[in-house]
Amino acid sequence: MAAINIIQRISCFSSAAAALLVGYSFRQASGSHSFFNMGKGSSAFTAAASSSSCNTNSDEDLPSMIVFDLDDCLWTPEMHELSGMPSIPVEGPLDPSDNNSQLGTVGMKVPSRRRGNKKGFDWGGYAHDGEEVVELYPGARLVLRELAMNPRYAGVKIAVASSSLEPSYSRACINGIEIVDGVTMKDMISYSQIGREGQLTSRKTSHFKLIHEQSGIPYDEMLFFDDCNWGDHVGDLESAFGVAGIR
């Protein structure tokens, strides 16, 4: 895989993981600008559909690791927007496409409520009257459920790389939010680099360097999803390490 260029690797990864990635939109909140629209109109779908160098029935085309950003990529709101630690579990259907599905912890709530809140943290169906509830985007939850339940992805490691300003808040959400019954985000994540202190900076290259050292997985066998709108982590990682990414 090392000899294949970035575009081809994204095509192969997307083709091989079509059931996981193509057709899902990470950001399904009404009116949001989607960096992660993996539908038929996206360049990722086009690349996957037109790729002739990939065997879509071969697990060899799956990335060895999928790395996700967190804030405004997998979940909302962002940690720095919260007024305190999200420590109260919020219950709801674990499958966002089936309201009658198994109940579990679908969000983490801040104990206090905002007063005079003009920013509108009442997101989704679980926050009311100024409550602050961190919830996965529906599309992101579907993707994580596919990774957790489909045996095809059993060999794919999951990691997170976040430059969160409140890493303890991020970890509280990872520890508490369930993907399937009895399986939290923490249970699924093999490697986690969160924050921008110590060896970590605002550049995701610092996060990936540690993930690479800890896992031993080559950079060119990783697939990264990020939404950053104040910089281009995907381009930075491609230039520095040759990581294939989608933004």
Side-chain angles (χ1 to χ4, degrees):
M1 179 105 26
I4 304 178
N5 67 34
I6 292 292
I7 298 300
Q8 287 176 313
R9 278 195 285 121
I10 292 175
S11 295
C12 289
F13 289 163
S14 296
S15 293
L20 167 66
L21 299 174
V22 176
Y24 287 149
S25 173
F26 275 55
R27 302 162 63 91
Q28 292 184 353
S30 176
S32 67
H33 54 289
S34 177
F35 292 101
F36 280 110
N37 188 341
M38 297 292 290
K40 292 186 178 181
S42 73
S43 59
F45 181 92
T46 302
S50 63
S51 173
S52 60
S53 61
C54 303
N55 178 0
T56 58
N57 295 317
S58 172
D59 288 346
E60 291 180 1
D61 289 330
L62 288 173
S64 297
M65 175 181 286
I66 298 176
V67 186
F68 295 104
D69 177 36
L70 293 173
D71 283 4
D72 215 23
C73 177
L74 289 186
W75 62 40
T76 188
E78 299 188 46
M79 298 297 100
H80 69 87
E81 296 176 308
L82 300 176
S83 62
M85 175 73 72
S87 58
I88 301 176
V90 176
E91 187 178 76
L94 292 173
D95 183 349
S97 64
D98 181 4
N99 287 333
N100 295 316
S101 64
Q102 174 74 43
L103 296 179
T105 300
V106 296
M108 295 297 292
K109 182 168 66 174
V110 177
S112 60
R113 297 188 181 207
R114 285 182 176 264
R115 300 301 178 189
N117 174 32
K118 296 181 180 180
K119 297 186 70 175
F121 282 100
D122 292 356
W123 190 92
Y126 303 104
H128 305 282
D129 191 24
E131 291 181 334
E132 301 169 73
V133 178
V134 179
E135 302 174 45
L136 293 171
Y137 285 108
R141 174 169 284 281
L142 287 172
V143 166
L144 292 175
R145 284 176 63 82
E146 182 76 9
L147 283 168
M149 297 179 355
N150 190 332
R152 185 179 186 196
Y153 305 111
V156 178
K157 298 295 184 183
I158 307 301
V160 295
S162 169
S163 54
S164 171
L165 293 170
E166 298 288 352
S168 62
Y169 294 3
S170 302
R171 293 189 187 96
C173 293
I174 287 173
N175 292 343
I177 293 176
E178 287 182 291
I179 303 305
V180 297
D181 186 30
V183 178
T184 65
M185 292 181 69
K186 181 180 180 181
D187 296 327
M188 293 184 61
I189 295 168
S190 298
Y191 302 95
S192 175
Q193 293 297 333
I194 304 173
R196 50 179 72 184
E197 296 181 349
Q199 297 183 69
L200 301 177
T201 71
S202 60
R203 287 185 66 190
K204 293 289 177 73
T205 50
S206 63
H207 300 67
F208 270 76
K209 184 175 184 294
L210 292 176
I211 290 173
H212 167 66
E213 290 174 355
Q214 292 169 352
S215 68
I217 292 176
Y219 290 117
D220 64 3
E221 294 181 16
M222 299 178 182
L223 179 61
F224 178 45
F225 291 92
D226 189 70
D227 79 301
C228 182
N229 58 11
W230 51 264
D232 184 4
H233 293 309
V234 169
D236 194 17
L237 282 161
E238 177 186 340
S239 298
F241 300 136
V243 174
I246 299 173
R247 176 171 181 264

